[in-house]
Amino acid sequence: MAVKMSKPATPEQQKKTFVEEAWLKYYNQVLFEKGMITERERNLMINKIDARTTRSLSR
């Protein structure tokens, strides 16, 4: 079984990831405030966004 070695994210990749995370969380909050999603859905989406960000930065 091969072990995949990951390279640290470049500063440009980190910046892109953080900007994407900010926008996703912003729109998630807007949907919640407008009553289009429930608090549970909002929280689940926050967890998914955080997992995506962590994965992107650990590559």
Side-chain angles (χ1 to χ4, degrees):
M1 183 165 106
V3 175
K4 182 179 177 185
M5 299 298 290
S6 61
K7 298 179 194 175
T10 65
E12 188 62 33
Q13 289 170 326
Q14 288 177 347
K15 179 180 175 184
K16 181 181 179 217
T17 298
F18 288 129
V19 169
E20 287 176 356
E21 177 186 16
W23 277 110
L24 289 170
K25 286 184 175 180
Y26 167 77
Y27 283 117
N28 189 45
Q29 185 64 28
V30 169
L31 291 173
F32 174 68
E33 289 173 1
K34 292 189 178 277
M36 298 177 79
I37 61 174
T38 64
E39 183 176 7
R40 181 177 183 277
E41 291 170 320
R42 179 193 65 169
N43 293 339
L44 286 171
M45 189 56 66
I46 289 171
N47 290 338
K48 289 180 180 185
I49 293 167
D50 288 342
R52 180 179 183 268
T53 301
T54 301
R55 236 183 0 261
S56 292
L57 293 176
S58 66
R59 287 189 211 180

